[in-house]
Amino acid sequence: MLNKVEIQTKRGTLLTLPLYEEEGGYKVSNIEGLNPVEAVIVSSNYAGLDGEQFHSARRSARDIKIDLDLEADHVVDTITSLRNSLYSFLMPKSEVLLRFYMTTGLRLEINARVEDFETPLFSRDPDVRISLRCFQPDFIDPRIIKIEGWTVSDDTNITIPYPGTVETGVIVTLQPQRDLSSFTIYCLGSDNVQQQLDFPAPLLAGDKLVIRSLRGAKGVTLTTQN
C-alpha cells in the first residue's frame, strides 16, 4: 500500500506528502495515473483475410494527477501561503522527481514535468489538482543490486534475477585486477537465445569499463588510470 509521496525539485528542495493524514497544511485526497500505462497497438488488415496483422506495440507517456486538500490553521499558515508554497515546487513546466513509498519498504521513482496547476481561488473548500506528464512511463526502483564475480576462460555463467515487470537492459561495470587482452560477455535471455558482446581492446589492471544496454541510453565508457 502507498503511504507517502515526495516531490523533489531540480534545486533539491523536498516536499513530503504523507497519505491518509494532514501534514504541513496539505492532505492528499487522491492520486491518479499509477496503473500500468495503456499500450498503443499498431496493426493493419488485408482484403480477403480475417482479423488483422500485428505490427508493433508501445506504451505512451504517463499522466499523473495529484489532488491535495489545503488545511490552513490560520495561525501559522493561510490558504494563500499554502498555495504560494506549492507554487515553488510545482509551477507549470518545471521538472520534478516523484518518489512513491510503499508500506512494504519499496521505493519507486519517476521523472515528471508539471503540466497544470489547477486551484479555485474563490472556494470555501479549497483544493489543488496537479497534472504531471512522465515522458518515460516506467517507475524505477533506485536500489542498486551488486553481484560480484570473476572473469573465466570457460562457459561458466551466473544467473541474475530480475524482480521487475518491464523489459529493460543492464549496466555492467568491470574493474579488472589484472591485465586483459580482450574479453566477451555472454547473455542468455528468457527466450533462450544467447547474445554476445566482444570487446577486442586491452584492459589494464585498475581500469573501469561501464557497459550500458538500457534502451535510449546505450553506450560504453572506459576510464583508464593513465
Side-chain angles (χ1 to χ4, degrees):
M1 181 182 294
L2 183 66
N3 66 346
K4 184 174 69 173
V5 178
E6 286 184 347
I7 301 173
Q8 181 175 326
T9 67
K10 294 291 288 184
R11 301 185 304 274
T13 55
L14 191 67
L15 175 64
T16 301
L17 301 171
L19 273 68
Y20 316 113
E21 61 184 39
E22 180 269 334
E23 180 172 311
Y26 306 112
K27 181 179 179 181
V28 178
S29 59
N30 189 40
I31 301 179
E32 300 176 7
L34 302 183
N35 292 322
V37 175
E38 181 181 4
V40 178
I41 308 296
V42 179
S43 62
S44 60
N45 52 51
Y46 298 95
L49 296 179
D50 296 333
E52 296 184 347
Q53 177 67 42
F54 169 78
H55 293 299
S56 65
R58 65 177 181 85
R59 287 173 297 120
S60 300
R62 178 184 296 275
D63 291 316
I64 296 179
K65 299 183 186 299
I66 302 177
D67 294 336
L68 299 176
D69 292 332
L70 304 182
E71 306 285 347
D73 56 17
H74 299 288
V75 176
V76 178
D77 295 312
T78 64
I79 296 300
T80 300
S81 66
L82 290 174
R83 187 183 290 115
N84 289 338
S85 179
L86 278 180
Y87 285 149
S88 65
F89 289 93
L90 295 161
M91 182 61 68
K93 92 172 185 178
S94 60
E95 182 180 359
V96 295
L97 175 66
L98 302 179
R99 295 194 184 98
F100 297 90
Y101 292 83
M102 312 297 289
T103 53
T104 58
L106 179 64
R107 185 186 83 187
L108 300 175
E109 298 181 350
I110 191 168
N111 290 297
R113 288 271 181 180
V114 181
E115 186 174 26
D116 188 28
F117 189 111
E118 182 180 352
T119 176
L121 299 180
F122 305 97
S123 173
R124 292 184 178 181
D125 186 19
D127 56 9
V128 177
R129 185 171 179 84
I130 303 159
S131 300
L132 304 106
R133 171 64 63 93
C134 307
F135 298 99
Q136 299 299 323
D138 298 327
F139 291 103
I140 304 298
D141 182 351
R143 294 174 299 177
I144 298 177
I145 300 176
K146 294 184 178 180
I147 300 177
E148 297 184 356
W150 297 267
T151 57
V152 296
S153 57
D154 55 18
D155 59 356
T156 302
N157 59 72
I158 180 173
T159 300
I160 301 178
Y162 173 54
T165 57
V166 178
E167 294 181 359
T168 185
V170 296
I171 300 177
V172 178
T173 301
L174 183 62
Q175 294 178 276
Q177 297 179 344
R178 58 183 177 85
D179 295 350
L180 297 175
S181 59
S182 63
F183 70 91
T184 300
I185 296 178
Y186 296 93
C187 176
L188 184 64
S190 58
D191 54 2
N192 212 34
V193 175
Q194 180 172 282
Q195 298 177 324
Q196 72 179 63
L197 172 65
D198 298 319
F199 194 86
L203 287 180
L204 303 179
D207 288 351
K208 181 179 180 180
L209 180 68
V210 179
I211 301 174
R212 296 178 177 86
S213 65
L214 304 178
R215 180 173 297 179
K218 297 181 180 180
V220 178
T221 303
L222 174 62
T223 303
T224 65
Q225 298 296 316
N226 299 329

